[in-house]
Amino acid sequence: MIYSQPYIKIERQIIRLEQKQIKRTEFMELYEDKIVTASKTFKLRDVYDVSYREMSDEYGFLYLHTNQGVFPYYVESIPDCFMQHYVNMTSM
């Protein structure tokens, strides 16, 4: 693994007739040939770009642009290091 980027997964559940949001930290891992999330694996050749959009001072979205569409990931810190590692790997 080259780099690990935390992201947040929010699940909504009904518990005793009350809706609750459960916030869980998961990791996006960058390898030489793939990017792995908790629920999906992307071959690096299928990822066209990564981008980030800040939504507030507290969070933003890291986007993976792939041949299967764009996948957003909720992040609580600016993913500059992850994006720089991705650019370094794909520009070789």
Side-chain angles (χ1 to χ4, degrees):
M1 181 177 59
I2 295 168
Y3 193 81
S4 181
Q5 171 66 45
Y7 66 94
I8 305 299
K9 177 79 173 185
I10 297 177
E11 294 180 4
R12 291 180 179 87
Q13 293 183 347
I14 305 288
I15 300 172
R16 295 192 178 125
L17 301 175
E18 185 178 337
Q19 182 173 326
K20 302 240 181 200
Q21 288 188 349
I22 298 170
K23 191 167 139 179
R24 193 173 68 226
T25 300
E26 297 179 345
F27 293 90
M28 179 180 299
E29 298 173 342
L30 177 64
Y31 293 88
E32 289 182 20
D33 61 339
K34 62 188 172 188
I35 295 175
V36 177
T37 69
S39 61
K40 193 147 181 67
T41 298
F42 303 92
K43 292 179 183 177
L44 210 52
R45 69 174 184 253
D46 296 336
V47 178
Y48 302 137
D49 195 15
V50 295
S51 62
Y52 173 72
R53 179 164 184 176
E54 189 172 74
M55 302 306 282
S56 74
D57 291 340
E58 298 175 12
Y59 73 96
F61 286 96
L62 173 62
Y63 296 98
L64 294 183
H65 303 262
T66 76
N67 65 348
Q68 300 170 20
V70 178
F71 293 82
Y73 293 90
Y74 176 86
V75 293
E76 293 183 319
S77 61
I78 299 172
D80 287 343
C81 290
F82 180 87
M83 292 172 62
Q84 188 58 51
H85 282 290
Y86 170 80
V87 167
N88 291 344
M89 291 186 60
T90 59
S91 64
M92 294 179 180

